[in-house]
Amino acid sequence: LHTEVEKPLLTFRGDNFKKDLKKYDHHIADLRKQLASRFASVEKARKALADRQKDLEVKTQQLEIKLSNKTEEDIKKARRKSTQAGQRSKSQVCCYINLRSLSCCLSGCSVVT
C-alpha cells in the first residue's frame, strides 16, 4: 500500500505542490500590492474630502458673517430711512399747521392749534 499509494502521492504532491505554492505566493504578493495601492488611494481621497469639508465650513462661516453684517447694515439703513421719513412727516405737519394758521390769520378767523 505504501509503495502503490502513498509514495506516488507524495511524489506528485512534491513536484506540483512546490510549483503551485510558488505561483500562489506570487499571486498573493500581487494582491497585497493592489490592496496597498487601493488603500493609499482611499486614504488620499479621505484626506482630500476632509480638507474640502474644512474649506466649506470656513466659507460657510464667512458667508454667515457677511450675511449678518449685511443684515445689520440693512437694519441701520431702514432705521435711517424711517427716521428721515418721520422727520419729513413732522416738518410737513408743522408746515401745514403754520400755513393753516397763516391763511386763517389772513382771512380773519381764529385757529386753535
Side-chain angles (χ1 to χ4, degrees), residues 60-78:
T60 301
Q61 288 175 351
Q62 290 173 345
L63 287 173
E64 286 174 352
I65 290 170
K66 274 186 179 178
L67 181 62
S68 174
N69 290 342
K70 183 163 177 24
T71 303
E72 287 178 21
E73 289 176 16
D74 290 346
I75 290 171
K76 287 178 184 176
K77 285 180 185 176

Side-chain angles (χ1 to χ4, degrees), residues 2-113:
H2 176 72
T3 57
E4 290 180 12
V5 176
E6 291 180 6
K7 192 173 181 180
L9 186 61
L10 288 174
T11 315
F12 173 77
R13 182 176 175 223
D15 295 338
N16 290 337
F17 184 72
K18 288 179 185 177
K19 290 178 186 176
D20 289 343
L21 188 60
K22 194 172 187 179
K23 183 173 70 173
Y24 291 136
D25 281 342
H26 286 297
H27 185 65
I28 288 172
D30 288 342
L31 290 175
R32 283 186 179 144
K33 287 178 187 175
Q34 288 177 8
L35 182 62
S37 173
R38 288 181 183 170
F39 181 77
S41 298
V42 167
E43 286 300 312
K44 184 178 177 182
R46 184 178 290 151
K47 186 177 184 283
L49 183 62
D51 291 344
R52 178 72 176 139
Q53 190 172 6
K54 286 178 187 177
D55 289 344
L56 288 174
E57 287 175 5
V58 168
K59 286 180 182 179
T60 301
Q61 288 175 351
Q62 290 173 345
L63 287 173
E64 286 174 352
I65 290 170
K66 274 186 179 178
L67 181 62
S68 174
N69 290 342
K70 183 163 177 24
T71 303
E72 287 178 21
E73 289 176 16
D74 290 346
I75 290 171
K76 287 178 184 176
K77 285 180 185 176
R79 282 183 182 158
R80 271 196 304 267
K81 285 182 181 179
S82 175
T83 303
Q84 290 171 352
Q87 289 173 347
R88 265 189 257 122
S89 294
K90 186 177 175 182
S91 74
Q92 288 172 352
V93 168
C94 286
C95 285
Y96 173 76
I97 291 172
N98 287 338
L99 284 174
R100 190 165 169 205
S101 70
L102 181 62
S103 81
C104 283
C105 287
L106 292 174
S107 66
C109 66
S110 62
V111 175
V112 179
T113 56

